[in-house]
Amino acid sequence: MNRVAHFLFVVLLGAAFGLAPVAARANVDDYDAFARIPVQDAGRIMPMDTFARLRLLQFSGRSSFNKKPAIEWLARLLFDPQQSQHDPIFLVNNPELLEAIGLDGLSGRRFSYDRLRPGLDKLRELAAAASEHKAEDRTPIEKEFIRVYQNLSTFASLAASFRFALPHSDFAVTNRALRARLGLPDDRDAFSFLDIYLRAHVFAPVIQRLSAVPPEEWTEEESELFALSSTLFNWNRYYQGLPIPLLPVTAHGTEQWVSPWDKLAFGLLDEPARRDIARLQDMAQAWLAGRTVDFKLAASDVARSVRARAQESRGLRYLDLELRYNRLDPFYRAQLVYGIAFLFSLLALLREKPAWRRVTWAGILLALIPHTLGLIWRMQIMGRPPMTNLYATFLFVSWICVVLGLVVEWYQRNGLGGFLASISGLALLMISKRFEAQGDTMGVVIAVLDSNFWLSTHVVTITIGYAGCIAAGIVGHVYLLQALRLPDGHPKLRAALRAIYGLLAFGLIFSFLGTMLGGVWADQSWGRFWGWDPKENGALLIVLWCAILFHARWAGMIGPTGFAAGSVLGVIVVLFAWIGVNLLGVGLHSYGFVSGLALGLWTAVLAELLFVAVTVPLIAGRRTKREVV
Amino acid sequence: MNGEHTPTRGARLAALLGSAEVTTVGLVFLMILTFWGTLYQVEHGLYLAKDRFFDSWIVWIGGFIPFPGTQLVLAALAVNLVVYIGRLVAQRHMPFGLLLTHLGLLMLLLGGAVTRLFATESQLTLQEGETGSASASYQHWELAVWSKDGPLREVMAYSADDLKPGDVRRFDDAGLTIEIEDYHRNARAFQSTAPQTNPPLSRLGVTSLRPARLAKEPGENIAGAILTIRPDGSDPVRAILFGEDETPRTFRHNDTDWHVALRRAREPLPFIVRLIDFRREMHPGTEIARHFSSLVAVNADGVERNLVISMNKPLRDRGFTLYQASYREDPDGTQWSTFAVTHNFGRLIPYISTGVIVAGLAWHFVAMMIARARRAGAAA
């Protein structure tokens, strides 16, 4: 038995670690240099890889496309925009949108730009009308109009962002003499905007002279040159304000990152910038021609040159780390291993064989490695404690619950802690995935949060408090389920009750401390300790609920079943404080809104209420029956 | 404590008052109020929710069903705590952790009461280069009378928060009485096309006031009053004072120019503040503020010093605290900086009580764990 368990465990672990990164590893080497190019987005410097993921997540809600990493999709979008128009990447959550823009014949949830294009004008009109309303007054469908329209226009500007580097018929030079004069290669006649732009100094004097000569007297070469120069002028005026800001410009001591188009529009190209842009063109054309080695070389040239010239910044320093973080996807791996450990923990709870318990324990420790590493990396990359948004708090609460589960297991050695650790690792990390698509999870924070001291005291403490109460709630479920079949006072029930008691006390202390530290922070920043702000109230509700449970238990108003049921209901209170308050959309703390979240929250609340409403009467019923018999 | 003699009525009452049952019921009420008041904020905003649920003794449901307000519940919990602590102290083996925790809680409640009764909150908005020596309340209004406009002037003022039609306010030093004809905490002003009375009722040409619903943010309420000023021994003057009108109503009495104004209640500061420069920093490539700060010169007792007030770095001086609260910027580049001003001598109480409570809780739960481990050891 023992041996079978260990064997199974090793096989499953191998599968988890081996299979997870396969999708991400494909062609990693070809795109490695490109992925490393620094980009400024969402107020920070990030690797192109993160930029690609963010855009793909924003459009499609997924971080890979056709089982290929986002960076490959981005390369195709930038360098071969015609082809990417057929990629079905635009997630439409509400079919009503398709109807509204006259495309009700379409089925599915994700569509290509090409498919949506016929409705684009109508969508622009609808989105513009919806934008007239204040954000909080918009209906779900109006939000969807705006969201999809913004995605489509972002896509369109990304598609144009490397057009300067791609050969275009507008810049065809058919006259051989002209090609020779401009120093253009003779083996083709279609050139890019940049090819012509970089030679503007050669023909500028000619154009000047032509202005004094009537067009009838121009030579064929001169006519073509003039046409070329007006196209150049028009393009230069038209293609402005486009992404991607990847060239650092320092003026008057402050650094700004601009896109190649904007750099070209400024007109003043110093030698390094000229070289960078030329290398960007080499990169694009090498990709188009399938010359992998050239593509890699050009990309790493650009990355190196930009990094050498940009001012020192955190994003730049940890660029490689962020890339590794993206590639390894530590939380996804941890989640898989927690999942396996969870199956074993069920066996351990039901079968009471020490082997299953040991396997569970080992599995949790294994999963904790990438989980911890992921948190540490995030802290390093952001230079902040790991909880600046809802996504990050889930990662952290999950981690604390796992550790609390391990502590319970260490003391009780009965499988309960293993169950707690593995299910909270699995479930909370799974839920966290839902929040990833809301934007840059390592993004900047608003001014009031810009204080590492308070983030790491108040926010960390209160989040640990959430974790304690959630962990108590999970054990509460186990207690109620066990109480359905075990007699009162059974050792298993007593152990579970002790665990609930300890976890709830832990939750109470940290929620209370966190709430009060929040008051201290508020007093320091706004001059008032307590202002009945919704998030403050949410935290207070947790403290009150824990205190009610303890006092009611001491007063004998509730028994063990009531206490356990109370800990289960405590999960609802935590969910309200943690997520519900952000959905209220008022107060200083409502920075983490995610649409569609409300439904999930209500489902969870109803599920918990139902659970208590079903189990508690059944347990009470069993007891009275026993007493009658 | 063992049924040999029946406890006195007082002891029974103390047992009830200090019981965990009362605590539980009180906490349940507090939880209901907190939850309800939070949801109420969605529709009505923070200040109205505070008014109705958190600062009140009784919450009227539907206007006639009474429900205990937060102040009442907190007061009951405070009594509960006092009795409980008294009983704990009377015990021979008193659980030290619990005692500490509940002492801390009592202190926290008392600190809240001190803040509620004595602390003031107001704000000071300065344009770059401007100097200020008094801050203005967000929510409170006052009826103020003064004679000499200058750097040092003596202002007589009555709170205008609960003025009612028919109220009379006497300003002895000015030798005048003001009778309130009509008063609205939030008013809309109207001008009529009919010819103005002489002297006009209002400098802005307002001829009538109508009440408006109280705004979510008290800062958006604009008070308005119709009143008669009766200087001793001269003719009465009828006037409309509208809060948006920043220049006072002026008239001559006893060879002096007197000014009357309805304005946001002023709190004089013990120092003079001049805004030298307001700065803000954005996250690169975004419109999200990273940081904002104000360089100010503070003049106290004739000595001036420069300092920077920024987010999380307030100015504290003579019991007053100035925090960077917000800013405003005109398209032409003119900048205003707004400071929240608080005056609260009880501000350290919650800090101390938090420490006491957390220490008490930790003591209690650790002591219980040790006791349990001992019992387990003894049983083994």
Side-chain angles (χ1 to χ4, degrees), chain A residues 430-475:
Chain A
M430 272 171 73
I431 298 171
S432 78
K433 278 266 161 207
R434 305 240 143 235
F435 296 88
E436 228 185 345
Q438 67 178 300
D440 184 5
T441 66
M442 291 192 276
V444 297
V445 296
I446 54 175
V448 63
L449 291 180
D450 189 14
S451 153
N452 280 340
F453 177 70
W454 293 115
L455 269 180
S456 49
T457 49
H458 159 61
V459 187
V460 170
T461 328
I462 196 84
T463 316
I464 292 176
Y466 293 166
C469 295
I470 296 238
I474 293 175
V475 180

Short mmCIF file of all heavy atoms in Angstrom, two decimals, chain A residues 430-475:
data_model
loop_
_atom_site.label_atom_id
_atom_site.label_comp_id
_atom_site.label_asym_id
_atom_site.label_seq_id
_atom_site.Cartn_x
_atom_site.Cartn_y
_atom_site.Cartn_z
N MET A 430 -7.03 28.73 -8.11
CA MET A 430 -7.92 28.64 -9.28
C MET A 430 -8.74 29.91 -9.42
O MET A 430 -8.90 30.44 -10.52
CB MET A 430 -8.84 27.43 -9.15
CG MET A 430 -8.24 26.15 -9.70
SD MET A 430 -9.25 24.71 -9.29
CE MET A 430 -10.63 24.95 -10.38
N ILE A 431 -9.25 30.39 -8.29
CA ILE A 431 -10.06 31.61 -8.35
C ILE A 431 -9.20 32.80 -8.80
O ILE A 431 -9.64 33.64 -9.57
CB ILE A 431 -10.71 31.90 -6.98
CG1 ILE A 431 -11.64 30.76 -6.59
CG2 ILE A 431 -11.50 33.20 -7.02
CD1 ILE A 431 -12.16 30.83 -5.18
N SER A 432 -7.96 32.82 -8.32
CA SER A 432 -7.10 33.96 -8.65
C SER A 432 -6.94 34.12 -10.16
O SER A 432 -6.83 35.22 -10.67
CB SER A 432 -5.73 33.80 -8.00
OG SER A 432 -4.94 32.89 -8.74
N LYS A 433 -6.98 33.00 -10.90
CA LYS A 433 -6.84 33.06 -12.37
C LYS A 433 -7.87 33.99 -12.99
O LYS A 433 -7.63 34.63 -14.00
CB LYS A 433 -7.05 31.66 -12.95
CG LYS A 433 -5.82 30.80 -12.88
CD LYS A 433 -5.03 30.91 -14.16
CE LYS A 433 -3.61 30.44 -13.91
NZ LYS A 433 -2.63 31.03 -14.78
N ARG A 434 -9.07 34.00 -12.36
CA ARG A 434 -10.15 34.82 -12.90
C ARG A 434 -9.80 36.31 -12.87
O ARG A 434 -10.37 37.09 -13.60
CB ARG A 434 -11.44 34.63 -12.08
CG ARG A 434 -11.86 33.24 -11.97
CD ARG A 434 -13.25 33.05 -12.57
NE ARG A 434 -13.30 31.75 -13.24
CZ ARG A 434 -13.65 31.58 -14.50
NH1 ARG A 434 -13.97 32.61 -15.23
NH2 ARG A 434 -13.66 30.39 -15.03
N PHE A 435 -8.90 36.68 -11.95
CA PHE A 435 -8.61 38.10 -11.78
C PHE A 435 -7.43 38.54 -12.63
O PHE A 435 -7.11 39.71 -12.68
CB PHE A 435 -8.28 38.39 -10.31
CG PHE A 435 -9.45 38.15 -9.41
CD1 PHE A 435 -9.67 36.92 -8.87
CD2 PHE A 435 -10.33 39.18 -9.14
CE1 PHE A 435 -10.75 36.69 -8.05
CE2 PHE A 435 -11.42 38.96 -8.33
CZ PHE A 435 -11.63 37.72 -7.78
N GLU A 436 -6.77 37.57 -13.26
CA GLU A 436 -5.57 37.90 -13.99
C GLU A 436 -5.88 38.81 -15.17
O GLU A 436 -5.10 39.68 -15.52
CB GLU A 436 -4.91 36.61 -14.48
CG GLU A 436 -3.45 36.56 -14.19
CD GLU A 436 -2.81 35.33 -14.78
OE1 GLU A 436 -3.53 34.40 -15.17
OE2 GLU A 436 -1.57 35.32 -14.85
N ALA A 437 -7.05 38.59 -15.77
CA ALA A 437 -7.36 39.31 -17.01
C ALA A 437 -7.70 40.78 -16.76
O ALA A 437 -7.91 41.51 -17.71
CB ALA A 437 -8.50 38.63 -17.74
N GLN A 438 -7.76 41.22 -15.51
CA GLN A 438 -8.19 42.60 -15.27
C GLN A 438 -7.11 43.62 -15.56
O GLN A 438 -7.34 44.81 -15.45
CB GLN A 438 -8.70 42.77 -13.84
CG GLN A 438 -7.62 42.60 -12.79
CD GLN A 438 -8.15 42.83 -11.39
OE1 GLN A 438 -8.64 43.88 -11.09
NE2 GLN A 438 -8.06 41.83 -10.54
N GLY A 439 -5.94 43.19 -15.96
CA GLY A 439 -4.90 44.17 -16.32
C GLY A 439 -3.55 43.72 -15.78
O GLY A 439 -3.39 42.57 -15.40
N ASP A 440 -2.63 44.65 -15.74
CA ASP A 440 -1.28 44.35 -15.28
C ASP A 440 -1.33 44.02 -13.79
O ASP A 440 -1.59 44.88 -12.97
CB ASP A 440 -0.40 45.59 -15.52
CG ASP A 440 1.04 45.31 -15.15
OD1 ASP A 440 1.36 44.14 -14.81
OD2 ASP A 440 1.84 46.25 -15.20
N THR A 441 -1.10 42.76 -13.44
CA THR A 441 -1.19 42.38 -12.03
C THR A 441 0.00 42.90 -11.23
O THR A 441 0.01 42.81 -10.03
CB THR A 441 -1.28 40.86 -11.84
OG1 THR A 441 -0.04 40.29 -12.27
CG2 THR A 441 -2.42 40.27 -12.61
N MET A 442 1.01 43.40 -11.93
CA MET A 442 2.12 44.00 -11.20
C MET A 442 2.17 45.49 -11.48
O MET A 442 3.22 46.10 -11.52
CB MET A 442 3.43 43.31 -11.58
CG MET A 442 3.45 41.89 -11.05
SD MET A 442 5.04 41.09 -11.13
CE MET A 442 5.02 40.50 -12.78
N GLY A 443 1.00 46.06 -11.70
CA GLY A 443 0.93 47.46 -12.11
C GLY A 443 1.20 48.43 -10.98
O GLY A 443 1.42 48.05 -9.84
N VAL A 444 1.15 49.70 -11.35
CA VAL A 444 1.45 50.76 -10.39
C VAL A 444 0.28 50.92 -9.43
O VAL A 444 -0.82 50.48 -9.69
CB VAL A 444 1.72 52.08 -11.12
CG1 VAL A 444 2.94 51.92 -11.99
CG2 VAL A 444 0.53 52.48 -11.95
N VAL A 445 0.53 51.55 -8.32
CA VAL A 445 -0.53 51.78 -7.35
C VAL A 445 -0.83 53.26 -7.24
O VAL A 445 0.02 54.10 -7.54
CB VAL A 445 -0.14 51.23 -5.96
CG1 VAL A 445 0.02 49.73 -6.01
CG2 VAL A 445 1.12 51.88 -5.45
N ILE A 446 -2.06 53.59 -6.83
CA ILE A 446 -2.45 54.99 -6.71
C ILE A 446 -1.72 55.63 -5.53
O ILE A 446 -1.22 54.94 -4.64
CB ILE A 446 -3.98 55.14 -6.55
CG1 ILE A 446 -4.45 54.28 -5.38
CG2 ILE A 446 -4.69 54.76 -7.82
CD1 ILE A 446 -5.91 54.45 -5.07
N ALA A 447 -1.69 56.97 -5.54
CA ALA A 447 -0.83 57.68 -4.60
C ALA A 447 -1.05 57.29 -3.15
O ALA A 447 -0.10 57.15 -2.38
CB ALA A 447 -1.04 59.19 -4.76
N VAL A 448 -2.31 57.08 -2.76
CA VAL A 448 -2.56 56.84 -1.34
C VAL A 448 -1.99 55.50 -0.89
O VAL A 448 -1.66 55.29 0.27
CB VAL A 448 -4.08 56.94 -1.04
CG1 VAL A 448 -4.84 55.87 -1.78
CG2 VAL A 448 -4.34 56.84 0.43
N LEU A 449 -1.85 54.56 -1.84
CA LEU A 449 -1.29 53.26 -1.47
C LEU A 449 0.22 53.25 -1.56
O LEU A 449 0.86 52.25 -1.26
CB LEU A 449 -1.84 52.18 -2.41
CG LEU A 449 -3.32 51.84 -2.24
CD1 LEU A 449 -3.72 50.76 -3.23
CD2 LEU A 449 -3.60 51.36 -0.84
N ASP A 450 0.78 54.36 -2.05
CA ASP A 450 2.20 54.38 -2.32
C ASP A 450 3.00 54.50 -1.03
O ASP A 450 3.65 55.48 -0.76
CB ASP A 450 2.53 55.55 -3.26
CG ASP A 450 3.96 55.48 -3.74
OD1 ASP A 450 4.58 54.42 -3.57
OD2 ASP A 450 4.46 56.49 -4.26
N SER A 451 2.92 53.49 -0.22
CA SER A 451 3.65 53.52 1.03
C SER A 451 3.94 52.08 1.41
O SER A 451 3.05 51.36 1.83
CB SER A 451 2.80 54.18 2.11
OG SER A 451 3.15 53.70 3.37
N ASN A 452 5.16 51.67 1.19
CA ASN A 452 5.46 50.26 1.45
C ASN A 452 5.29 49.90 2.91
O ASN A 452 4.93 48.80 3.26
CB ASN A 452 6.88 49.94 1.02
CG ASN A 452 6.94 49.74 -0.47
OD1 ASN A 452 5.91 49.48 -1.09
ND2 ASN A 452 8.11 49.88 -1.04
N PHE A 453 5.53 50.89 3.79
CA PHE A 453 5.43 50.59 5.21
C PHE A 453 4.01 50.17 5.55
O PHE A 453 3.77 49.16 6.19
CB PHE A 453 5.84 51.81 6.04
CG PHE A 453 5.70 51.57 7.51
CD1 PHE A 453 6.55 50.69 8.15
CD2 PHE A 453 4.70 52.20 8.22
CE1 PHE A 453 6.40 50.45 9.50
CE2 PHE A 453 4.55 51.96 9.56
CZ PHE A 453 5.40 51.09 10.22
N TRP A 454 3.03 50.96 5.09
CA TRP A 454 1.65 50.66 5.45
C TRP A 454 1.11 49.49 4.66
O TRP A 454 0.32 48.71 5.18
CB TRP A 454 0.77 51.90 5.29
CG TRP A 454 1.14 52.93 6.28
CD1 TRP A 454 1.67 54.15 6.04
CD2 TRP A 454 1.03 52.81 7.70
NE1 TRP A 454 1.89 54.80 7.22
CE2 TRP A 454 1.50 54.00 8.26
CE3 TRP A 454 0.57 51.81 8.56
CZ2 TRP A 454 1.55 54.22 9.62
CZ3 TRP A 454 0.61 52.03 9.91
CH2 TRP A 454 1.09 53.23 10.44
N LEU A 455 1.54 49.39 3.39
CA LEU A 455 1.10 48.21 2.63
C LEU A 455 1.55 46.95 3.34
O LEU A 455 0.82 45.99 3.42
CB LEU A 455 1.70 48.24 1.22
CG LEU A 455 0.87 48.92 0.15
CD1 LEU A 455 1.61 48.86 -1.16
CD2 LEU A 455 -0.46 48.23 0.01
N SER A 456 2.78 46.99 3.87
CA SER A 456 3.29 45.75 4.44
C SER A 456 2.86 45.57 5.88
O SER A 456 3.01 44.49 6.42
CB SER A 456 4.81 45.67 4.31
OG SER A 456 5.39 46.86 4.76
N THR A 457 2.31 46.57 6.52
CA THR A 457 1.78 46.32 7.86
C THR A 457 0.27 46.12 7.80
O THR A 457 -0.21 45.01 7.98
CB THR A 457 2.12 47.46 8.82
OG1 THR A 457 1.78 48.69 8.19
CG2 THR A 457 3.59 47.49 9.15
N HIS A 458 -0.45 47.19 7.49
CA HIS A 458 -1.91 47.08 7.50
C HIS A 458 -2.42 46.02 6.54
O HIS A 458 -3.15 45.11 6.93
CB HIS A 458 -2.52 48.45 7.18
CG HIS A 458 -3.92 48.39 6.68
ND1 HIS A 458 -4.95 47.89 7.44
CD2 HIS A 458 -4.48 48.76 5.51
CE1 HIS A 458 -6.07 47.97 6.76
NE2 HIS A 458 -5.82 48.48 5.58
N VAL A 459 -2.04 46.13 5.27
CA VAL A 459 -2.65 45.25 4.27
C VAL A 459 -2.24 43.80 4.51
O VAL A 459 -3.08 42.89 4.41
CB VAL A 459 -2.31 45.72 2.85
CG1 VAL A 459 -3.07 44.91 1.84
CG2 VAL A 459 -2.66 47.18 2.67
N VAL A 460 -0.98 43.59 4.84
CA VAL A 460 -0.55 42.21 5.09
C VAL A 460 -1.28 41.64 6.30
O VAL A 460 -1.79 40.52 6.26
CB VAL A 460 0.99 42.15 5.29
CG1 VAL A 460 1.40 40.79 5.79
CG2 VAL A 460 1.70 42.46 4.00
N THR A 461 -1.38 42.42 7.36
CA THR A 461 -2.03 41.91 8.57
C THR A 461 -3.49 41.56 8.32
O THR A 461 -3.96 40.49 8.70
CB THR A 461 -1.98 42.96 9.69
OG1 THR A 461 -0.79 43.71 9.56
CG2 THR A 461 -2.02 42.33 11.03
N ILE A 462 -4.18 42.48 7.67
CA ILE A 462 -5.62 42.24 7.47
C ILE A 462 -5.80 41.04 6.55
O ILE A 462 -6.72 40.23 6.73
CB ILE A 462 -6.31 43.51 6.91
CG1 ILE A 462 -7.81 43.41 7.08
CG2 ILE A 462 -6.04 43.76 5.47
CD1 ILE A 462 -8.29 43.81 8.41
N THR A 463 -4.91 40.89 5.57
CA THR A 463 -5.04 39.76 4.66
C THR A 463 -4.77 38.44 5.38
O THR A 463 -5.41 37.42 5.12
CB THR A 463 -4.08 39.93 3.46
OG1 THR A 463 -4.18 41.28 3.03
CG2 THR A 463 -4.45 39.03 2.34
N ILE A 464 -3.82 38.47 6.32
CA ILE A 464 -3.58 37.27 7.14
C ILE A 464 -4.84 36.97 7.95
O ILE A 464 -5.24 35.80 8.11
CB ILE A 464 -2.36 37.48 8.05
CG1 ILE A 464 -1.09 37.57 7.22
CG2 ILE A 464 -2.24 36.33 9.05
CD1 ILE A 464 0.15 37.88 8.01
N GLY A 465 -5.50 38.03 8.42
CA GLY A 465 -6.75 37.85 9.15
C GLY A 465 -7.81 37.17 8.28
O GLY A 465 -8.47 36.22 8.72
N TYR A 466 -7.95 37.64 7.03
CA TYR A 466 -8.88 36.99 6.10
C TYR A 466 -8.56 35.50 6.02
O TYR A 466 -9.44 34.66 6.07
CB TYR A 466 -8.74 37.54 4.66
CG TYR A 466 -9.15 38.97 4.41
CD1 TYR A 466 -8.78 39.60 3.23
CD2 TYR A 466 -9.92 39.68 5.31
CE1 TYR A 466 -9.14 40.90 2.95
CE2 TYR A 466 -10.29 40.98 5.05
CZ TYR A 466 -9.89 41.59 3.87
OH TYR A 466 -10.26 42.89 3.58
N ALA A 467 -7.25 35.23 5.84
CA ALA A 467 -6.82 33.84 5.63
C ALA A 467 -7.21 32.99 6.84
O ALA A 467 -7.71 31.86 6.69
CB ALA A 467 -5.33 33.78 5.37
N GLY A 468 -6.97 33.50 8.06
CA GLY A 468 -7.29 32.74 9.26
C GLY A 468 -8.78 32.39 9.29
O GLY A 468 -9.15 31.24 9.57
N CYS A 469 -9.63 33.37 8.98
CA CYS A 469 -11.08 33.12 9.05
C CYS A 469 -11.52 32.17 7.94
O CYS A 469 -12.40 31.33 8.15
CB CYS A 469 -11.84 34.44 8.95
SG CYS A 469 -11.54 35.50 10.35
N ILE A 470 -10.93 32.31 6.77
CA ILE A 470 -11.28 31.39 5.67
C ILE A 470 -10.88 29.97 6.04
O ILE A 470 -11.64 29.01 5.85
CB ILE A 470 -10.56 31.81 4.37
CG1 ILE A 470 -11.07 33.18 3.95
CG2 ILE A 470 -10.75 30.76 3.29
CD1 ILE A 470 -11.69 33.26 2.61
N ALA A 471 -9.67 29.83 6.61
CA ALA A 471 -9.19 28.50 7.00
C ALA A 471 -10.14 27.92 8.04
O ALA A 471 -10.52 26.74 7.96
CB ALA A 471 -7.77 28.59 7.54
N ALA A 472 -10.55 28.73 9.02
CA ALA A 472 -11.49 28.25 10.04
C ALA A 472 -12.78 27.79 9.36
O ALA A 472 -13.35 26.75 9.72
CB ALA A 472 -11.78 29.35 11.05
N GLY A 473 -13.24 28.57 8.36
CA GLY A 473 -14.46 28.22 7.65
C GLY A 473 -14.33 26.88 6.92
O GLY A 473 -15.26 26.07 6.93
N ILE A 474 -13.17 26.65 6.31
CA ILE A 474 -12.97 25.38 5.60
C ILE A 474 -13.06 24.21 6.57
O ILE A 474 -13.73 23.22 6.32
CB ILE A 474 -11.62 25.40 4.84
CG1 ILE A 474 -11.68 26.44 3.73
CG2 ILE A 474 -11.31 24.03 4.28
CD1 ILE A 474 -10.36 26.64 3.00
N VAL A 475 -12.38 24.35 7.71
CA VAL A 475 -12.45 23.28 8.71
C VAL A 475 -13.89 23.15 9.23
O VAL A 475 -14.35 22.04 9.52
CB VAL A 475 -11.45 23.53 9.86
CG1 VAL A 475 -11.53 22.41 10.87
CG2 VAL A 475 -10.05 23.65 9.32
#
